[in-house]
Amino acid sequence: MQQNSKPVMARIWADRWIYVFLLPTLTLVGAFTIYPVVASIWFSFLDWNGFERAGSFIGLANYNELLADPLFWNAFKNTVVFLVLAVPLRVGLALLLAIILNAHFPLVRVFRTAIFLPVVTTAAIVGVVMRYVLDPTGGPLNIALLNSHILGQPLNFLGSAALALYSAVGIWVWKWLGITLIYWLAALQTIPRDLYEAAELDGAGPWRQFRCITLPLLTPFTLIITLITVIDATNVFDLMLTLTGGGPFYATEVIDIYVYRQAFTSNVPRLGYASAAAIFFGIMFIAVAAVQIIALRRVRSGRHDQ
Amino acid sequence: MSTMSLRRPAGWTILRYVALVALCLVWVYPFLWLVSASLKSPLEVFSKGLNLLPDVPVWENYARAWGQAGFSRYMLNTFFVTIGTVVVVVFHTALSGYVLGRHDFVGRKVIIGILGATLVVPAGLTVIPIVDLTSALGLLNGHWGIILALAGSGQSAAILLYAGYFRGLPRELEEAAFMDGAGFLRIFFYIMLPLAGPVTATVTVLTFLAAWNAFLIPLVFTFGTPELRTLPVGMLAFVGTNETDWSGMAAAATISLLPVIVFFFFVQRYFVEGIAGAVKA
């Protein structure tokens, strides 16, 4: 710290090894994360099909077209519906399960591992496999539901526009519940056990203990776990492309798929237009994330002041 | 909690077990069905309903997926991409994590701020320029393009893991080595990096799983080069052309998922520690 009195250039020279150590990370992150964000903003002002080396500047025309495109708003709506259904379901179900599994009883590790198993598997392959598991004619889920007389006739979970998005929510929660479970278990283990023992001596029942000890102490974790889950829920490309490809009739087309379709699978790629869609949604999303991060900071600094 | 459960009636305990076993069955069943379908004949998959046992295991499904469908090639590609990504990620995140966690220098706060901000950048936002840049660099025709793109995006968590760990090591370590005349490089490679073994294990495991399971980058990088496809990309291509081959699909999926599931069972501890640590920090 005595270096602080030296002039800036002398400090930088003295620390030259530090900058050498940073070079690989700065190069990679610069090329594959920071440059792409900046370039996307630039691309969003271009009319560019990708076959030519560069596009032509058209100002805000892409954005104007975007705001008038019903399929963009459809994708926007699907993403929001997905978030609003899937995030609370995953966070809440995992908390419930964590409270049950945060104890010592026979087989508890087996249960945790079973719930965690889908997490490590490849989302894109799970998406393909689930097409068959949910198939209306030969898929095991429909056979099980028919055999047990829960259903009178098979449900086309992925082929029906009314059902497909909800089926995708279900598969996504099934796939990732285990990781949220681990987050909650880690959070629960930070609560000192003697708090519960003291509460029990005072005659507080399990529900009261949960409401007055567990929930308040979990608040900062709730915010961070929800934030992580929201970020996850906007990155459902792997699962959605392989599960439904955005169909049927765009019923499950989320923003990622919309951008992918415009940029890579339409007859004439529209890289500028796709970038505008990605940027528009990215700004909305970062705004939501920023609100959550500010809330998290508030809660944390509130803790330190007490 | 354990003392509480002792005083609870036996009915509650039984109910809990029934519920947990049912839930776990739902979680594991798709994988059991997958393995079972991979050993049935295509007709049996339909005719036997929920019966998981095939009359005679049909290993020919695996031969078809491995050979004809090209999954031996996809497997090799996936291994190459995964191992390359792990090596590049450990190398660059250990170096930068060390200096960010342990040294104060001009620009440190800016770099940490930028790395933190990249955590919320959606993957769909960066993919078009990544393809454009990689193609301009002439890297779109080999594995290295995929490896660098995977290693260069979304690695802030690994850097922060290393930084946090190095920060916690005692100061005296470096001071003693410095007194003995060891330079910056020597201190890092001979003293600090070996001490960071647990973090290296966690970063290796997390990166291995992320690279093995990566989909968007390998997909858009291999549009023109089917021979470079990784397993998930090959899987999508396989069912696109063989939609009715259920047992072939199941064999191919089993081949693709088995290595990562086996890997996970061996390294479960590091994985769980790594992701749990991310929330506590």
Side-chain angles (χ1 to χ4, degrees), chain A:
Chain A
M1 298 295 151
Q2 78 273 29
Q3 290 174 344
N4 281 345
S5 53
K6 289 187 194 167
V8 171
M9 286 317 289
R11 279 182 63 194
I12 290 177
W13 177 246
D15 289 342
R16 57 193 178 276
W17 275 115
I18 289 178
Y19 297 102
V20 171
F21 270 44
L22 284 170
L23 205 59
T25 293
L26 292 184
T27 313
L28 282 170
V29 173
F32 293 106
T33 305
I34 296 165
Y35 161 76
V37 172
V38 178
S40 278
I41 298 172
W42 167 242
F43 289 176
S44 74
F45 299 121
L46 302 179
D47 178 24
W48 186 24
N49 58 25
F51 300 128
E52 297 141 21
R53 201 41 249 153
S56 51
F57 186 83
I58 52 167
L60 290 171
N62 283 330
Y63 289 95
N64 289 333
E65 190 187 338
L66 198 65
L67 297 182
D69 181 358
L71 278 180
F72 172 73
W73 289 111
N74 170 64
F76 195 90
K77 186 204 79 193
N78 285 340
T79 303
V80 172
V81 169
F82 189 92
L83 274 171
V84 168
L85 290 178
V87 172
L89 201 59
R90 181 172 146 192
V91 172
L93 206 59
L95 174 60
L96 187 72
L97 210 53
I99 290 168
I100 295 169
L101 292 177
N102 186 33
H104 297 285
F105 55 88
L107 294 180
V108 68
R109 283 180 61 91
V110 176
F111 291 136
R112 285 186 202 169
T113 306
I115 302 292
F116 198 77
L117 186 63
V119 171
V120 299
T121 59
T122 316
I125 290 176
V126 165
V128 168
V129 171
M130 284 301 169
R131 285 194 209 169
Y132 293 83
V133 172
L134 302 185
D135 187 272
T137 48
L141 181 59
N142 266 310
I143 296 179
L145 291 174
L146 290 173
N147 286 359
S148 56
H149 301 289
I150 295 172
L151 288 184
Q153 49 185 357
L155 274 179
N156 199 346
F157 288 103
L158 299 172
S160 123
L163 265 183
L165 191 60
Y166 304 110
S167 306
V169 167
I171 300 290
W172 186 79
V173 171
W174 169 85
K175 167 83 173 74
W176 296 111
L177 190 74
I179 203 160
T180 319
L181 173 68
I182 301 289
Y183 292 155
W184 280 126
L185 283 170
L188 285 173
Q189 274 151 23
T190 63
I191 302 177
R193 194 150 278 196
D194 34 330
L195 280 182
Y196 293 106
E197 283 159 17
E200 205 152 324
L201 287 179
D202 291 343
W207 170 245
R208 218 182 137 77
Q209 289 179 25
F210 174 75
R211 211 165 47 88
C212 299
I213 302 174
T214 316
L215 267 190
L217 287 176
L218 286 182
T219 307
F221 294 104
T222 308
L223 288 170
I224 184 83
I225 290 171
T226 307
L227 176 66
I228 294 173
T229 313
V230 167
I231 292 176
D232 277 359
T234 56
N235 288 312
V236 293
F237 176 83
D238 298 12
L239 189 66
M240 208 60 107
L241 187 81
T242 50
L243 192 65
T244 64
F249 310 113
Y250 307 105
T252 59
E253 186 169 83
V254 290
I255 290 288
D256 281 357
I257 308 263
Y258 179 84
V259 171
Y260 173 79
R261 189 163 60 81
Q262 298 291 346
F264 297 108
T265 61
S266 52
N267 290 333
V268 179
R270 302 190 64 197
L271 298 182
Y273 186 67
S275 298
I279 292 287
F280 184 84
F281 185 75
I283 290 170
M284 306 287 281
F285 172 69
I286 287 168
V288 172
V291 169
Q292 290 195 35
I293 290 169
I294 291 166
L296 187 65
R297 288 253 167 90
R298 284 255 170 88
V299 172
R300 284 221 169 135
S301 62
R303 281 281 147 98
H304 292 307
D305 293 344
Q306 280 165 14

Side-chain angles (χ1 to χ4, degrees), chain A residues 1 3-4 8 11-12 15 17-19 21-22 24-26 28-29 31-37 39-40 43 48 53 93 97 99-107 109-111 113-126 128-133 135 137-140 143-144 147 173-174 177-179 182-183 186 190 193 200 206 209 221 224-225 228 231 235 237-238 241-242 256 259-260 263-265 271 274-275 278-279 282 285-286 289 293 300, chain B residues 1-5 7-8 12 16-17 20-21 23-24 26-31 33-34 45-46 49-50 88 91-93 95-96 98-100 103-107 111 114-115 118-137 145 148-149 151-154 159 184-185 188-189 209 212-216 219-220 223 231-232 235-236 239 242-246 249 253 256-257 260-261 264-265 268 271-272 275-276 278-281:
Chain A
M1 298 295 151
Q3 290 174 344
N4 281 345
V8 171
R11 279 182 63 194
I12 290 177
D15 289 342
W17 275 115
I18 289 178
Y19 297 102
F21 270 44
L22 284 170
T25 293
L26 292 184
L28 282 170
V29 173
F32 293 106
T33 305
I34 296 165
Y35 161 76
V37 172
S40 278
F43 289 176
W48 186 24
R53 201 41 249 153
L93 206 59
L97 210 53
I99 290 168
I100 295 169
L101 292 177
N102 186 33
H104 297 285
F105 55 88
L107 294 180
R109 283 180 61 91
V110 176
F111 291 136
T113 306
I115 302 292
F116 198 77
L117 186 63
V119 171
V120 299
T121 59
T122 316
I125 290 176
V126 165
V128 168
V129 171
M130 284 301 169
R131 285 194 209 169
Y132 293 83
V133 172
D135 187 272
T137 48
I143 296 179
N147 286 359
V173 171
W174 169 85
L177 190 74
I179 203 160
I182 301 289
Y183 292 155
T190 63
R193 194 150 278 196
E200 205 152 324
Q209 289 179 25
F221 294 104
I224 184 83
I225 290 171
I228 294 173
I231 292 176
N235 288 312
F237 176 83
D238 298 12
L241 187 81
T242 50
D256 281 357
V259 171
Y260 173 79
F264 297 108
T265 61
L271 298 182
S275 298
I279 292 287
F285 172 69
I286 287 168
I293 290 169
R300 284 221 169 135
Chain B
M1 294 294 243
S2 55
T3 49
M4 282 165 41
S5 54
R7 296 195 294 115
R8 287 206 175 120
W12 199 88
R16 181 176 65 181
Y17 269 103
L20 282 174
V21 168
L23 194 73
C24 288
V26 172
W27 252 250
V28 175
Y29 186 83
F31 299 106
W33 177 83
L34 191 64
V45 177
F46 281 99
L50 290 180
V88 175
F91 174 75
H92 87 87
T93 60
L95 288 178
S96 58
Y98 170 65
V99 292
L100 287 171
H103 292 275
D104 189 30
F105 56 90
V106 179
I111 292 173
I114 291 173
L115 290 177
T118 62
L119 285 173
V120 293
V121 174
L125 197 108
T126 55
V127 66
I128 296 168
I130 285 179
V131 176
D132 182 50
L133 176 74
T134 313
S135 139
L137 292 171
L148 291 179
S153 43
I159 295 171
F184 196 87
L185 279 181
F188 176 74
F189 282 106
L209 289 171
W212 188 278
N213 295 337
F215 181 59
L216 176 59
L219 174 71
V220 296
F223 277 140
L231 289 164
M235 191 74 209
L236 188 63
V239 294
N242 305 278
E243 203 173 334
T244 51
D245 185 0
W246 286 49
M249 176 290 297
S256 310
L257 294 181
V260 79
I261 290 176
F264 166 69
F265 276 107
Q268 208 172 354
F271 188 71
V272 170
I275 54 172
V279 172
K280 285 182 185 164

Side-chain angles (χ1 to χ4, degrees), chain B residues 42 60 64 74 81 103 123 169 187 192 213-214 225 233 249 268 270 273:
Chain B
E60 200 272 326
R64 196 164 69 248
Y74 302 152
V81 165
H103 292 275
L169 295 176
I187 290 176
M192 306 309 278
N213 295 337
T225 48
V233 182
M249 176 290 297
Q268 208 172 354
Y270 298 106
E273 275 170 17

